[in-house]
mmCIF file of all heavy atoms in Angstrom:
data_model
loop_
_atom_site.group_PDB
_atom_site.id
_atom_site.type_symbol
_atom_site.label_atom_id
_atom_site.label_comp_id
_atom_site.label_asym_id
_atom_site.label_seq_id
_atom_site.Cartn_x
_atom_site.Cartn_y
_atom_site.Cartn_z
ATOM 1 N N ARG A 135 93.118 94.029 89.923
ATOM 2 C CA ARG A 135 94.353 94.132 90.685
ATOM 3 C C ARG A 135 94.639 95.574 91.097
ATOM 4 O O ARG A 135 95.147 95.825 92.187
ATOM 5 C CB ARG A 135 95.515 93.599 89.841
ATOM 6 C CG ARG A 135 96.892 93.755 90.510
ATOM 7 C CD ARG A 135 98.000 93.195 89.622
ATOM 8 N NE ARG A 135 99.302 93.469 90.211
ATOM 9 C CZ ARG A 135 99.992 94.595 90.046
ATOM 10 N NH1 ARG A 135 99.479 95.565 89.284
ATOM 11 N NH2 ARG A 135 101.173 94.788 90.605
ATOM 12 N N ASN A 136 94.312 96.531 90.258
ATOM 13 C CA ASN A 136 94.643 97.934 90.497
ATOM 14 C C ASN A 136 93.556 98.697 91.229
ATOM 15 O O ASN A 136 93.655 99.916 91.377
ATOM 16 C CB ASN A 136 94.941 98.632 89.161
ATOM 17 C CG ASN A 136 96.134 98.038 88.447
ATOM 18 O OD1 ASN A 136 95.992 97.105 87.671
ATOM 19 N ND2 ASN A 136 97.327 98.545 88.741
ATOM 20 N N VAL A 137 92.505 98.010 91.686
ATOM 21 C CA VAL A 137 91.396 98.677 92.373
ATOM 22 C C VAL A 137 91.187 98.062 93.750
ATOM 23 O O VAL A 137 91.227 96.844 93.915
ATOM 24 C CB VAL A 137 90.090 98.563 91.562
ATOM 25 C CG1 VAL A 137 88.941 99.281 92.271
ATOM 26 C CG2 VAL A 137 90.283 99.122 90.149
ATOM 27 N N PHE A 138 90.945 98.924 94.730
ATOM 28 C CA PHE A 138 90.540 98.490 96.068
ATOM 29 C C PHE A 138 89.142 99.022 96.326
ATOM 30 O O PHE A 138 88.887 100.220 96.245
ATOM 31 C CB PHE A 138 91.549 98.965 97.109
ATOM 32 C CG PHE A 138 92.880 98.283 96.970
ATOM 33 C CD1 PHE A 138 93.903 98.890 96.264
ATOM 34 C CD2 PHE A 138 93.079 97.023 97.493
ATOM 35 C CE1 PHE A 138 95.122 98.255 96.086
ATOM 36 C CE2 PHE A 138 94.298 96.365 97.332
ATOM 37 C CZ PHE A 138 95.330 96.979 96.629
ATOM 38 N N TYR A 139 88.220 98.092 96.615
ATOM 39 C CA TYR A 139 86.795 98.393 96.715
ATOM 40 C C TYR A 139 86.448 98.569 98.184
ATOM 41 O O TYR A 139 86.294 97.604 98.934
ATOM 42 C CB TYR A 139 85.986 97.245 96.121
ATOM 43 C CG TYR A 139 86.381 96.893 94.697
ATOM 44 C CD1 TYR A 139 87.494 96.095 94.428
ATOM 45 C CD2 TYR A 139 85.636 97.380 93.616
ATOM 46 C CE1 TYR A 139 87.854 95.782 93.133
ATOM 47 C CE2 TYR A 139 85.997 97.054 92.299
ATOM 48 C CZ TYR A 139 87.114 96.253 92.070
ATOM 49 O OH TYR A 139 87.479 95.932 90.775
ATOM 50 N N THR A 140 86.321 99.824 98.609
ATOM 51 C CA THR A 140 86.048 100.092 100.017
ATOM 52 C C THR A 140 84.567 100.332 100.288
ATOM 53 O O THR A 140 84.170 100.498 101.438
ATOM 54 C CB THR A 140 86.881 101.279 100.526
ATOM 55 O OG1 THR A 140 86.651 102.421 99.691
ATOM 56 C CG2 THR A 140 88.371 100.938 100.490
ATOM 57 N N GLY A 141 83.745 100.373 99.235
ATOM 58 C CA GLY A 141 82.298 100.380 99.383
ATOM 59 C C GLY A 141 81.773 98.953 99.468
ATOM 60 O O GLY A 141 82.543 97.988 99.440
ATOM 61 N N ALA A 142 80.469 98.801 99.560
ATOM 62 C CA ALA A 142 79.857 97.487 99.773
ATOM 63 C C ALA A 142 79.675 96.720 98.473
ATOM 64 O O ALA A 142 79.313 97.279 97.443
ATOM 65 C CB ALA A 142 78.507 97.652 100.450
ATOM 66 N N ALA A 143 79.922 95.413 98.540
ATOM 67 C CA ALA A 143 79.470 94.488 97.508
ATOM 68 C C ALA A 143 78.022 94.122 97.807
ATOM 69 O O ALA A 143 77.520 94.418 98.913
ATOM 70 C CB ALA A 143 80.365 93.251 97.512
ATOM 71 N N PRO A 144 77.304 93.498 96.854
ATOM 72 C CA PRO A 144 75.886 93.205 97.103
ATOM 73 C C PRO A 144 75.612 92.409 98.384
ATOM 74 O O PRO A 144 74.588 92.630 99.037
ATOM 75 C CB PRO A 144 75.487 92.402 95.860
ATOM 76 C CG PRO A 144 76.359 92.968 94.777
ATOM 77 C CD PRO A 144 77.670 93.216 95.451
ATOM 78 N N ASN A 145 76.524 91.501 98.758
ATOM 79 C CA ASN A 145 76.292 90.721 99.976
ATOM 80 C C ASN A 145 76.497 91.536 101.249
ATOM 81 O O ASN A 145 76.190 91.066 102.342
ATOM 82 C CB ASN A 145 77.213 89.495 100.007
ATOM 83 C CG ASN A 145 78.656 89.854 100.324
ATOM 84 O OD1 ASN A 145 79.283 90.626 99.594
ATOM 85 N ND2 ASN A 145 79.201 89.288 101.389
ATOM 86 N N GLN A 146 76.979 92.793 101.105
ATOM 87 C CA GLN A 146 77.192 93.663 102.251
ATOM 88 C C GLN A 146 76.169 94.804 102.309
ATOM 89 O O GLN A 146 76.278 95.688 103.156
ATOM 90 C CB GLN A 146 78.591 94.266 102.205
ATOM 91 C CG GLN A 146 79.710 93.241 102.335
ATOM 92 C CD GLN A 146 81.063 93.863 102.069
ATOM 93 O OE1 GLN A 146 81.280 94.509 101.028
ATOM 94 N NE2 GLN A 146 81.988 93.693 102.982
ATOM 95 N N GLN A 147 75.186 94.785 101.393
ATOM 96 C CA GLN A 147 74.175 95.838 101.400
ATOM 97 C C GLN A 147 72.845 95.345 100.837
ATOM 98 O O GLN A 147 71.854 95.265 101.550
ATOM 99 C CB GLN A 147 74.661 97.062 100.598
ATOM 100 C CG GLN A 147 73.702 98.244 100.665
ATOM 101 C CD GLN A 147 74.067 99.344 99.681
ATOM 102 O OE1 GLN A 147 74.532 99.064 98.579
ATOM 103 N NE2 GLN A 147 73.879 100.595 100.093
ATOM 104 N N ALA A 148 72.822 95.032 99.544
ATOM 105 C CA ALA A 148 71.556 94.724 98.859
ATOM 106 C C ALA A 148 70.878 93.479 99.415
ATOM 107 O O ALA A 148 69.687 93.507 99.750
ATOM 108 C CB ALA A 148 71.804 94.574 97.351
ATOM 109 N N ILE A 149 71.609 92.378 99.506
ATOM 110 C CA ILE A 149 71.006 91.128 99.971
ATOM 111 C C ILE A 149 70.540 91.237 101.426
ATOM 112 O O ILE A 149 69.380 90.900 101.734
ATOM 113 C CB ILE A 149 71.988 89.957 99.801
ATOM 114 C CG1 ILE A 149 72.297 89.725 98.300
ATOM 115 C CG2 ILE A 149 71.443 88.678 100.433
ATOM 116 C CD1 ILE A 149 71.134 89.251 97.470
ATOM 117 N N PRO A 150 71.368 91.751 102.351
ATOM 118 C CA PRO A 150 70.875 91.874 103.732
ATOM 119 C C PRO A 150 69.667 92.795 103.865
ATOM 120 O O PRO A 150 68.783 92.548 104.686
ATOM 121 C CB PRO A 150 72.088 92.443 104.488
ATOM 122 C CG PRO A 150 73.265 92.058 103.676
ATOM 123 C CD PRO A 150 72.788 92.095 102.255
ATOM 124 N N ALA A 151 69.614 93.868 103.060
ATOM 125 C CA ALA A 151 68.476 94.792 103.123
ATOM 126 C C ALA A 151 67.188 94.104 102.705
ATOM 127 O O ALA A 151 66.138 94.280 103.342
ATOM 128 C CB ALA A 151 68.744 96.004 102.241
ATOM 129 N N VAL A 152 67.260 93.319 101.641
ATOM 130 C CA VAL A 152 66.065 92.609 101.171
ATOM 131 C C VAL A 152 65.668 91.535 102.176
ATOM 132 O O VAL A 152 64.466 91.323 102.444
ATOM 133 C CB VAL A 152 66.315 92.012 99.769
ATOM 134 C CG1 VAL A 152 65.211 91.045 99.381
ATOM 135 C CG2 VAL A 152 66.408 93.141 98.740
ATOM 136 N N GLU A 153 66.631 90.870 102.768
ATOM 137 C CA GLU A 153 66.302 89.886 103.814
ATOM 138 C C GLU A 153 65.605 90.549 104.991
ATOM 139 O O GLU A 153 64.661 89.994 105.557
ATOM 140 C CB GLU A 153 67.595 89.186 104.270
ATOM 141 C CG GLU A 153 68.150 88.211 103.248
ATOM 142 C CD GLU A 153 69.447 87.579 103.714
ATOM 143 O OE1 GLU A 153 70.250 88.265 104.376
ATOM 144 O OE2 GLU A 153 69.668 86.385 103.395
ATOM 145 N N TYR A 154 66.065 91.747 105.346
ATOM 146 C CA TYR A 154 65.427 92.481 106.442
ATOM 147 C C TYR A 154 63.962 92.781 106.093
ATOM 148 O O TYR A 154 63.066 92.586 106.916
ATOM 149 C CB TYR A 154 66.172 93.777 106.718
ATOM 150 C CG TYR A 154 65.461 94.714 107.664
ATOM 151 C CD1 TYR A 154 65.491 94.477 109.038
ATOM 152 C CD2 TYR A 154 64.718 95.794 107.187
ATOM 153 C CE1 TYR A 154 64.808 95.311 109.924
ATOM 154 C CE2 TYR A 154 64.044 96.620 108.055
ATOM 155 C CZ TYR A 154 64.084 96.381 109.421
ATOM 156 O OH TYR A 154 63.403 97.201 110.282
ATOM 157 N N LEU A 155 63.714 93.263 104.858
ATOM 158 C CA LEU A 155 62.342 93.577 104.455
ATOM 159 C C LEU A 155 61.476 92.326 104.422
ATOM 160 O O LEU A 155 60.278 92.375 104.783
ATOM 161 C CB LEU A 155 62.352 94.244 103.075
ATOM 162 C CG LEU A 155 62.919 95.663 103.016
ATOM 163 C CD1 LEU A 155 63.020 96.142 101.584
ATOM 164 C CD2 LEU A 155 62.062 96.627 103.846
ATOM 165 N N MET A 156 62.042 91.201 104.004
ATOM 166 C CA MET A 156 61.276 89.938 104.021
ATOM 167 C C MET A 156 60.845 89.598 105.447
ATOM 168 O O MET A 156 59.709 89.162 105.673
ATOM 169 C CB MET A 156 62.127 88.808 103.443
ATOM 170 C CG MET A 156 62.206 88.797 101.933
ATOM 171 S SD MET A 156 63.122 87.356 101.344
ATOM 172 C CE MET A 156 62.493 87.273 99.638
ATOM 173 N N ASP A 157 61.764 89.827 106.389
ATOM 174 C CA ASP A 157 61.434 89.558 107.785
ATOM 175 C C ASP A 157 60.316 90.472 108.294
ATOM 176 O O ASP A 157 59.630 90.149 109.258
ATOM 177 C CB ASP A 157 62.672 89.716 108.670
ATOM 178 C CG ASP A 157 63.686 88.608 108.455
ATOM 179 O OD1 ASP A 157 63.319 87.562 107.901
ATOM 180 O OD2 ASP A 157 64.864 88.810 108.852
ATOM 181 N N GLN A 158 60.156 91.634 107.629
ATOM 182 C CA GLN A 158 59.075 92.583 107.983
ATOM 183 C C GLN A 158 57.769 92.268 107.241
ATOM 184 O O GLN A 158 56.802 93.016 107.346
ATOM 185 C CB GLN A 158 59.503 94.017 107.671
ATOM 186 C CG GLN A 158 60.821 94.439 108.310
ATOM 187 C CD GLN A 158 60.851 94.188 109.802
ATOM 188 O OE1 GLN A 158 59.981 94.668 110.529
ATOM 189 N NE2 GLN A 158 61.847 93.441 110.271
ATOM 190 N N GLY A 159 57.753 91.181 106.470
ATOM 191 C CA GLY A 159 56.523 90.737 105.800
ATOM 192 C C GLY A 159 56.326 91.221 104.384
ATOM 193 O O GLY A 159 55.234 91.037 103.820
#
Side-chain angles (χ1 to χ4, degrees):
R135 176 180 174 275
N136 298 89
V137 181
F138 292 96
Y139 306 80
T140 55
N145 74 301
Q146 296 171 307
Q147 185 190 36
I149 296 294
V152 169
E153 288 178 323
Y154 170 79
L155 290 173
M156 282 185 159
D157 289 343
Q158 306 307 305

